[in-house]
Amino acid sequence: MKCFHSKVLPSILNDEASLPLWKGKLSCDMLLDENILTGSEIIDCEALPSEAMRSAHTRGYLHKIVNGQLELKEQLLLGLRITPEVYPLVSSSVNATISSCLTALTEKVAVSLSGGMHNAYEDFGINYSIFNDIAIAAKVMREMYPRIKILIIDTDADHGAGTNSLLYDDPLTKTFSFHSYGSRKPCFLSDYDVTVARYIDGTSYMDLLMDRLATALERSMPDLVIWVSGVSAHYLDQSRLMRLKASELFYRDLLISKALIKNKIPLAVLLGGGNNENPVLTGKLHRNTIAAVKHNEQLYSSSI
Ligand SMILES: [Zn+2]
């Protein structure tokens, strides 16, 4: 199972504020240590020219990110200090997402050990989402395969409104978002938009999620699923939106990946959100997602 990785720069690793950008490395190291993944399955992706981001972002925004010239309030919105060093990292993470989509079409399942930045809009980003790799990848796929039906499944606990804002005019790309939010209702809803009560527990979450997801899959009949898995539904996540335990998240990831892999629907898995006070826990939760996908990939690979 190929896992695409963004090129992580040592100087970025030293910056604590950028943890969400490199947490994939933490999970990747865990999976390698446990022999769940082998070194040959990890593929480093190169940075992309900024022109590759133009399908989703304005020239002005790209210029500011490439040159590290975002205003302070824009950086505060992102929760990140943007220096010129950040661009190669995030653009290689977009490359990882595009690569996982392309590979999923031929190998049925692939993972991007980063990505899922659903809070990035055309000319600004929120909460660590600098570029919307999901929308960029969907647009690349549309250009290469004009009739491909794409379903974006977003199980990150907050709303994927940035993705919706960038893809609403593509009739063959559908979005499914299962989320909760505080008092602020997002302006761009998904095609299959499921809002659940804040602090939902694991049992109610699973019942509703699997029911609504089955409907979305049945109606959209996708040729490719891009799954923003996200682990922010964990009860210790700083978003404080849901109350799932680690074992419940793992069970969720087993069920979702099984529903897709067993039914031979090409699947690209992105890490998405997750930010605990303890970064090792965040890495572990993402590690669990990839382990669940790998389990199903091995289980059903003979029938693929
Ligand atoms: Zn999120």
Side-chain angles (χ1 to χ4, degrees):
M1 184 174 78
K2 287 188 181 133
C3 296
F4 295 92
H5 210 307
S6 58
K7 207 172 183 177
V8 181
L9 306 175
S11 53
I12 300 284
L13 284 176
N14 292 334
D15 186 347
E16 274 187 28
S18 63
L19 169 76
L21 291 177
W22 59 268
K23 59 190 179 178
K25 182 169 180 355
L26 271 179
S27 355
C28 179
D29 289 347
M30 289 175 193
L31 291 155
L32 288 170
D33 284 349
E34 297 171 67
N35 295 318
I36 294 172
L37 292 178
T38 60
S40 61
E41 290 174 292
I42 314 291
I43 299 155
D44 272 339
C45 292
E46 295 295 324
L48 292 174
S50 64
E51 217 32 52
M53 255 52 79
R54 278 286 291 128
S55 59
H57 298 289
T58 61
R59 215 176 280 283
Y61 181 60
L62 286 166
H63 180 82
K64 286 196 273 186
I65 300 288
V66 170
N67 297 293
Q69 289 172 349
L70 277 192
E71 286 172 32
L72 181 61
K73 62 178 183 194
E74 294 175 296
Q75 298 187 61
L76 289 172
L77 205 54
L78 276 169
L80 289 170
R81 195 164 51 87
I82 302 296
T83 62
E85 282 179 302
V86 170
Y87 178 79
L89 175 67
V90 284
S91 72
S92 62
S93 130
V94 172
N95 194 1
T97 297
I98 296 170
S99 304
S100 65
C101 290
L102 289 169
T103 304
L105 288 187
T106 52
E107 300 181 17
K108 297 300 180 202
V109 57
V111 173
S112 165
L113 291 162
S114 56
M117 297 296 167
H118 64 177
N119 290 317
Y121 293 76
E122 192 182 30
D123 55 0
F124 68 98
I126 306 172
N127 288 347
Y128 309 109
S129 291
I130 299 172
F131 297 138
N132 196 307
D133 55 300
I134 313 151
I136 295 169
K139 286 170 187 283
V140 168
M141 301 306 286
R142 170 71 50 241
E143 219 176 286
M144 291 179 73
Y145 305 99
R147 304 302 308 159
I148 193 171
K149 286 185 284 176
I150 302 172
L151 175 65
I152 290 155
I153 297 177
D154 189 334
T155 50
D156 199 352
D158 60 337
H159 197 280
T163 310
N164 302 337
S165 77
L166 294 166
L167 291 173
Y168 74 93
D169 59 351
D170 179 350
L172 292 179
T173 296
K174 301 292 179 195
T175 49
F176 170 93
S177 177
F178 194 90
H179 53 263
S180 183
Y181 47 79
S183 51
R184 198 163 46 95
K185 194 178 173 184
C187 337
F188 294 94
L189 297 185
S190 315
D191 297 292
Y192 305 98
D193 205 82
V194 190
T195 304
V196 300
R198 199 165 177 183
Y199 309 126
I200 189 171
D201 66 83
T203 311
S204 321
Y205 175 102
M206 281 310 299
D207 290 347
L208 190 59
L209 171 66
M210 293 318 287
D211 179 68
R212 297 301 173 88
L213 188 55
T215 306
L217 282 168
E218 219 174 278
R219 290 191 187 158
S220 59
M221 295 174 62
D223 304 308
L224 170 69
V225 162
I226 304 174
W227 175 28
V228 183
S229 50
V231 292
S232 46
H234 190 265
Y235 74 103
L236 288 177
D237 193 85
Q238 296 195 41
S239 64
R240 299 281 185 265
L241 286 172
M242 298 179 180
R243 287 192 295 128
L244 272 71
K245 299 179 195 127
S247 57
E248 291 168 330
L249 273 172
F250 183 62
Y251 182 57
R252 175 199 75 174
D253 296 343
L254 274 174
L255 287 193
I256 293 178
S257 54
K258 180 181 170 185
L260 299 164
I261 296 171
K262 195 178 173 189
N263 290 307
K264 302 179 175 59
I265 301 170
L267 169 65
V269 184
L270 320 180
L271 292 195
N275 190 8
N276 295 82
E277 265 160 47
N278 175 2
V280 178
L281 174 60
T282 306
K284 179 107 201 297
L285 294 172
H286 286 302
R287 168 253 172 239
N288 290 351
T289 301
I290 300 157
V293 176
K294 175 83 181 182
H295 171 80
N296 282 315
E297 190 259 348
Q298 284 183 319
L299 199 60
Y300 298 107
S301 61
S302 54
S303 60
I304 283 173

